[in-house]
Amino acid sequence: DAGVIQSPRHEVTEMGQEVTLRCKPISGHNSLFWYRQTMMRGLELLIYFNNNVPIDDSGMPEDRFSAKMPNASFSTLKIQPSEPRDSAVYFCASSLATGHSNQPQHFGDGTRLSIL
Amino acid sequence: GNSVTQMEGPVTLSEEAFLTINCTYTATGYPSLFWYVQYPGEGLQLLLKATKADDKGSNKGFEATYRKETTSFHLEKGSVQVSDSAVYFCALSGEIFGTGTRLKVLA
């Protein structure tokens, strides 16, 4: 079975540019999570969706970040404009149930983002 | 609110040594507990889980027991291998993650 698929795997761009990260969750999963991982701050939950609806976006750092889930098989995380401090590995994960549940999450391999 | 605390790393061990990575939690109710492992360049993978008090999760030689009386879920392995070198995350209820503990095993 295909796992969570993220694209691109690596992205290098100049500050000020728009960045779009993509995620395809596991088929049948109804919750989707976006995380950011850095050495300094560890793993941070940015936003999660349940049944394509954003439930908690309190982790989104600022208005430059936005996330959408137009259907059950696709989500995007957009940064506009990007800044060097946004450089990190961004993970998407999906699971069978809502947050605060007893179901494990399945992670993609991440997008390594470098903003110059 | 719910939270997870795990020991600071890095942890450096020789091959075949015994491993313990401590994890304690604060929670209301009876959440499930998880350990995930992250190998270099990859996402987190579920290693094991326990859904209720006194449950023991196990996988690949790793074990952890859900201890309600001490609110702990320590990860153990009797004999580590170089291939176990990774970052290990304790998690509560599916999406509350600890800060991760890096393990380095030397040959």
Side-chain angles (χ1 to χ4, degrees):
Chain A
D1 287 342
V4 174
I5 299 172
Q6 292 187 245
S7 65
R9 287 298 312 275
H10 303 274
E11 174 89 12
V12 180
T13 192
E14 294 186 346
M15 67 178 292
Q17 297 298 307
E18 178 179 290
V19 172
T20 300
L21 311 181
R22 297 173 175 79
C23 176
K24 177 178 169 56
I26 292 173
S27 177
H29 282 190
N30 58 358
S31 290
L32 183 140
F33 305 79
W34 282 101
Y35 292 89
R36 178 172 66 177
Q37 187 178 40
T38 61
M39 289 294 291
M40 290 294 292
R41 301 172 70 95
L43 191 68
E44 301 173 277
L45 176 65
L46 300 178
I47 185 170
Y48 81 86
F49 295 83
N50 181 246
N51 293 325
N52 312 338
V53 176
I55 303 300
D56 183 358
D57 66 354
S58 59
M60 295 286 262
E62 49 198 274
D63 291 345
R64 297 183 298 106
F65 286 69
S66 62
K68 294 182 180 179
M69 192 165 185
N71 57 61
S73 58
F74 184 66
S75 177
T76 59
L77 178 67
K78 188 172 292 189
I79 308 172
Q80 168 62 22
S82 57
E83 297 183 4
R85 60 193 168 120
D86 301 331
S87 298
V89 181
Y90 290 81
F91 288 103
C92 176
S94 69
S95 75
L96 271 172
T98 61
H100 304 294
S101 78
N102 294 325
Q103 295 295 326
Q105 293 184 25
H106 299 259
F107 283 74
D109 284 336
T111 295
R112 183 172 296 275
L113 177 64
S114 297
I115 308 296
L116 306 177
Chain B
N2 293 353
S3 66
V4 168
T5 302
Q6 62 181 106
M7 61 188 287
E8 294 273 339
V11 174
T12 303
L13 297 173
S14 297
E15 205 165 27
E16 299 183 3
F18 185 85
L19 169 71
T20 300
I21 299 178
N22 290 340
C23 172
T24 57
Y25 67 90
T26 302
T28 54
Y30 304 97
S32 288
L33 296 169
F34 305 83
W35 277 100
Y36 289 81
V37 59
Q38 184 180 27
Y39 299 105
E42 298 182 12
L44 281 69
Q45 305 172 25
L46 179 66
L47 180 60
L48 53 85
K49 72 174 186 179
T51 58
K52 60 183 187 296
D54 300 325
D55 263 4
K56 177 186 283 188
S58 61
N59 186 24
K60 300 181 181 180
F62 291 88
E63 293 182 338
T65 301
Y66 190 155
R67 301 279 189 206
K68 189 163 177 269
E69 63 277 11
T70 54
T71 62
S72 65
F73 192 56
H74 304 322
L75 182 68
E76 298 182 334
K77 186 174 185 182
S79 175
V80 293
Q81 305 300 312
V82 172
S83 57
D84 293 327
S85 299
V87 181
Y88 293 82
F89 291 86
C90 185
L92 176 73
S93 292
E95 89 286 348
I96 300 172
F97 287 85
T99 53
T101 302
R102 183 175 299 276
L103 171 66
K104 185 173 183 180
V105 181
L106 306 176

